[in-house]
Amino acid sequence: MSSSVRLLPVPALSATAPYAYLATVEPSTRLVYTAGACPLDADGNTVAPGDYAAQARQVMANLETALGAAGATLADVVKSTVYVASSQQADLVATWEVVRDAFGDHDAPSTLLGVAVLGYDDQLVEVEAVAAVPAG
């Protein structure tokens, strides 16, 4: 975990959530806000139409690339939002498993949403994040 990010459990809330309920950032920290990472390849094509897990893997690779441009990694993420174009809980779970694996032990607060549609043709998954890195 980034030394700029502190993840906090909330004992009064259910322990079944597989992430921290709260995260704080240290003073003198620079916040990094990403746009939604999409399942696009280098040519701008949507990868793996119809495959939630494969799209989630591409999304997380693209998110890591975007964070890297600001000197951040997934371990610096304070909060993420995961959008899944589905009303089926199984599709959300399949996506979340890939996202969770990408974050590893860094269980920052996250929101997982099923939505009606996303911006690109055949797009099923999108993830946005806020990260914190030491200023300077």
Side-chain angles (χ1 to χ4, degrees), residues 37-118:
C38 298
L40 304 178
D41 64 17
D43 296 322
N45 300 308
T46 303
V47 302
D51 187 333
Y52 288 91
Q55 285 199 8
R57 283 189 291 278
Q58 182 69 44
V59 163
M60 295 309 292
N62 290 348
L63 181 60
E64 286 186 87
T65 299
L67 288 167
T73 69
L74 291 176
D76 298 310
V77 170
V78 177
K79 168 79 170 78
S80 65
T81 305
V82 181
Y83 302 93
V84 182
S86 177
S87 62
Q88 301 299 309
Q89 191 174 36
D91 298 331
L92 277 70
V93 170
T95 301
W96 177 249
E97 288 174 351
V98 172
V99 171
R100 178 83 175 113
D101 287 349
F103 278 108
D105 291 336
H106 185 68
D107 61 349
S110 187
T111 300
L112 176 63
L113 301 167
V115 299
V117 66
L118 292 166

